[in-house]
């Protein structure tokens, strides 16, 4: 991870006016990324793989995004359906936020992500988008990352782009505070209209 991240972070250091976020569940990678200018760590495991990552974020007063992940990438294809997807996600994210708070991270630095595509089936991802507002009771900002997820794939790139825009719009309507995207210009237009 650091072989890929270091050159990019070194080039961006002190050149941007926006915060840099790095995806990792590894505490040592998070530490080094923060030293190289990252201000936010997106732990795709929600502090379940390396809980000590929370101490790194706390020490550097970094932002921490806690993603819900079911299983591990190598087991996703074998996972059965979740009987209560929204209840499970809410409980797991609440527990992750509790771990972050126990490590001393200020709650204003924590964002929760229901983890679209992270061990969920297509219909479960659609349910998450439809019921995103259920997570408001956790009282943390919510982020979604629908961009280019497999469940949005359509028969042509153009149709897939429209599906992505629909998922971004649904995220905003559902109460997402942050939507992570790849096609920034196009998806910003969708988010701006949804916000308006």
């Amino acid at each position: 991870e650091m072989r890929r991240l270091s050159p990019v972070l070194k080039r961006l250091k002190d050149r941007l006016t926006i915060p840099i976020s790095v995806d990792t569940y590894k505490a040592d990678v998070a530490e080094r990324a923060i030293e190289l200018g990252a201000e936010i760590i997106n732990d795709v495991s929600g502090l379940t793989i390396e809980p000590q990552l929370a101490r790194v974020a706390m020490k550097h007063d970094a932002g921490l995004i806690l993603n819900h992940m079911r299983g591990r990438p190598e087991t996703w294809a074998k996972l059965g359906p979740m009987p209560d997807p929204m209840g499970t996600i809410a409980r797991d994210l609440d527990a992750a936020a509790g771990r972050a708070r126990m490590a001393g991270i200020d709650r204003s630095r924590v964002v929760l992500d229901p983890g679209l595509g992270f061990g969920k089936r297509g219909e479960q991802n659609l349910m998450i988008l439809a019921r995103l507002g259920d997570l408001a009771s956790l009282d943390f900002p919510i982020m979604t990352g629908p961009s280019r997820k497999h469940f949005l794939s359509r028969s042509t790139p153009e149709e897939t782009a429209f599906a992505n825009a629909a998922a971004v719009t649904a995220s905003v309507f559902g109460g997402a505070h942050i939507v992570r995207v790849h096609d920034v210009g196009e998806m910003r237009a969708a988010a701006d209209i949804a916000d308006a």
Side-chain angles (χ1 to χ4, degrees), residues 58-80:
M58 191 274 300
K59 179 174 88 171
H60 294 283
D61 205 22
L64 183 61
I65 299 167
L66 300 171
N67 184 78
H68 183 271
M69 180 170 71
R70 185 168 175 245
R72 298 273 187 114
E74 60 273 13
T75 68
W76 288 349
K78 300 173 197 148
L79 291 174

Side-chain angles (χ1 to χ4, degrees), residues 28 34 45 47 87 90 94 96 114 134 156-157 164 184 192:
D28 58 338
I34 291 168
S45 83
L47 299 175
D94 190 45
D134 292 4
T156 68
N164 276 275
V184 176
D192 284 347

Side-chain angles (χ1 to χ4, degrees), residues 1-187:
E1 285 181 36
M2 283 314 302
R3 270 198 311 274
R4 291 192 310 267
L5 282 170
S6 288
V8 175
L9 291 172
K10 286 176 183 175
R11 288 190 67 185
L12 293 176
K13 191 170 172 78
D14 301 321
R15 296 182 66 191
L16 299 176
T17 58
I18 56 173
I20 297 171
S21 172
V22 169
D23 291 9
T24 189
Y25 59 80
K26 298 175 182 169
D28 58 338
V29 172
E31 179 95 42
R32 185 68 181 127
I34 291 168
E35 289 168 2
L36 292 173
E39 296 178 48
I40 302 166
I41 301 299
N42 183 8
D43 181 355
V44 297
S45 83
L47 299 175
T48 60
I49 296 177
E50 288 195 21
Q52 62 270 32
L53 186 144
R55 288 194 295 278
V56 172
M58 191 274 300
K59 179 174 88 171
H60 294 283
D61 205 22
L64 183 61
I65 299 167
L66 300 171
N67 184 78
H68 183 271
M69 180 170 71
R70 185 168 175 245
R72 298 273 187 114
E74 60 273 13
T75 68
W76 288 349
K78 300 173 197 148
L79 291 174
M82 283 193 292
D84 176 19
M86 293 311 292
T88 300
I89 291 167
R91 283 188 298 277
D92 291 350
L93 287 176
D94 190 45
R99 288 190 290 276
R101 298 287 294 125
M102 289 292 289
I105 297 175
D106 188 274
R107 70 177 292 114
S108 68
R109 297 226 167 252
V110 176
V111 171
L112 303 179
D113 182 340
L116 294 170
F118 281 79
K120 286 94 172 174
R121 296 175 179 215
E123 67 277 3
Q124 293 167 343
N125 291 305
L126 294 171
M127 177 194 289
I128 292 166
L129 286 174
R131 295 184 48 199
L132 196 59
D134 292 4
L135 300 178
S137 63
L138 297 173
D139 201 28
F140 284 92
I142 301 297
M143 181 179 97
T144 62
S147 188
R148 298 185 184 172
K149 293 292 169 73
H150 183 71
F151 76 98
L152 295 172
S153 294
R154 298 298 179 258
S155 57
T156 68
E158 293 79 16
E159 288 176 6
T160 300
F162 283 114
N164 276 275
V168 167
T169 302
S171 293
V172 173
F173 284 169
H177 300 84
I178 303 166
V179 183
R180 179 178 168 155
V181 300
H182 291 85
D183 304 307
V184 176
E186 296 89 340
M187 296 307 115

